[in-house]
Amino acid sequence: MKKFKIERFTRVSEPVQTPITKFGGQPVWLTEPQWPLSSGWDKRPMMFIGQIELNPQLFPTPNVSVPQMAYLFVTHAQNMEEGFFDPDIIDPDGGENAIILQPGGAILIDTAPLVNGPSLWDDNGESYEGIPQLQEAQDPEFLASKSYISLTKDEQNAYSDEVDGDKIGGVPFFFQGDGWPDDSNWRLLLQLHANFKPFCLLVGGSPTIFAFVNEDLTTGKLVIQDC
């Protein structure tokens, strides 16, 4: 299974204005702005995590012939001092996270036509925008939790060495049971260990973000597992 490993993040000095994969800043919408709103907190705009180009090498779909982008959001504190956290962000259907796909994506949550909104900041509280440096690689076939547990310790370590880590595409490395959003057919869009990044993303104690898209690239869902 092909993937792009995220080797590091390079901060940009000027706002990104083109539809490329990036984290932070403001979305570069392909169509009209569709900023998702929190379901449980007075419709406050969610924080923009980043946007990921749906590269046809990773997400081949015969029915889609135009460029597509996935935009990731989560209900989040809007600055370092706010001290806000909603535990429902871990649930793909909890109304506190969202993946917007353009063009042609299904909208599963209330949105607003906002061009700009809350986004990532760094350890100094300054706005952060960066581009991931990617390296093409391969993942083995996905192992369900029961199959993984049946491996020897050395086999488990070898598998985790291959599939763990920050990446776009590939297969997920779940650590709290098989965390697929539901029984549909999903592809891993993003796996991101949220801590120790050049940006602050407060989504748990030791969390991993898993973002998924369905096979026809019309629906996206986000799951967070936390130790």
Side-chain angles (χ1 to χ4, degrees):
M1 181 74 68
K2 185 176 288 187
K3 65 180 177 181
F4 291 130
K5 295 171 60 177
I6 299 177
E7 298 290 308
R8 62 187 183 279
F9 295 88
T10 299
R11 193 168 194 160
V12 298
S13 57
E14 297 292 334
V16 173
Q17 304 288 349
T18 54
I20 62 172
T21 297
K22 66 160 188 160
F23 288 77
Q26 297 298 323
V28 181
W29 300 103
L30 290 183
T31 61
E32 71 282 356
Q34 296 172 301
W35 203 292
L37 306 175
S38 164
S39 295
W41 296 93
D42 298 324
K43 301 299 181 182
R44 63 186 279 163
M46 294 185 186
M47 171 179 276
F48 175 59
I49 298 173
Q51 62 190 38
I52 299 175
E53 181 183 1
L54 297 182
N55 189 310
Q57 293 184 60
L58 301 181
F59 308 103
T61 301
N63 297 328
V64 177
S65 58
V66 297
Q68 283 188 288
M69 188 74 70
Y71 305 86
L72 280 62
F73 297 84
V74 66
T75 299
H76 196 281
Q78 297 186 14
N79 55 62
M80 294 181 69
E81 290 74 33
E82 188 179 15
F84 176 89
F85 180 79
D86 189 320
D88 287 340
I89 59 174
I90 68 172
D91 183 355
D93 300 305
E96 304 304 337
N97 66 56
I99 298 177
I100 303 296
L101 299 176
Q102 289 189 348
I107 301 299
L108 306 179
I109 197 166
D110 289 343
T111 65
L114 302 177
V115 175
N116 299 315
S119 188
L120 300 178
W121 66 80
D122 62 17
D123 288 337
N124 296 317
E126 301 293 329
S127 296
Y128 178 87
E129 185 173 13
I131 297 173
Q133 304 305 303
L134 305 175
Q135 179 183 355
E136 187 173 325
Q138 290 284 136
D139 270 351
E141 291 297 316
F142 173 73
L143 286 180
S145 296
K146 290 182 179 179
S147 298
Y148 177 77
I149 292 172
S150 69
L151 299 177
T152 67
K153 191 65 176 177
D154 287 344
E155 290 171 333
Q156 289 180 356
N157 290 338
Y159 179 78
S160 64
D161 286 345
E162 290 191 85
V163 301
D164 197 7
D166 300 336
K167 60 187 176 181
I168 295 170
V171 300
F173 183 57
F174 297 123
F175 53 90
Q176 291 182 332
D178 295 338
W180 303 102
D182 54 40
D183 292 334
S184 303
N185 292 320
W186 296 98
R187 305 177 191 177
L188 180 68
L189 171 66
L190 172 71
Q191 178 172 285
L192 182 72
H193 298 301
N195 291 350
F196 308 111
K197 294 293 182 285
F199 47 81
C200 295
L201 193 51
L202 309 177
V203 293
S206 185
T208 299
I209 294 173
F210 301 92
F212 300 95
V213 290
N214 66 349
E215 288 189 318
D216 59 4
L217 306 185
T218 59
T219 303
K221 290 194 176 184
L222 190 148
V223 175
I224 298 175
Q225 292 191 339
D226 191 15
C227 291

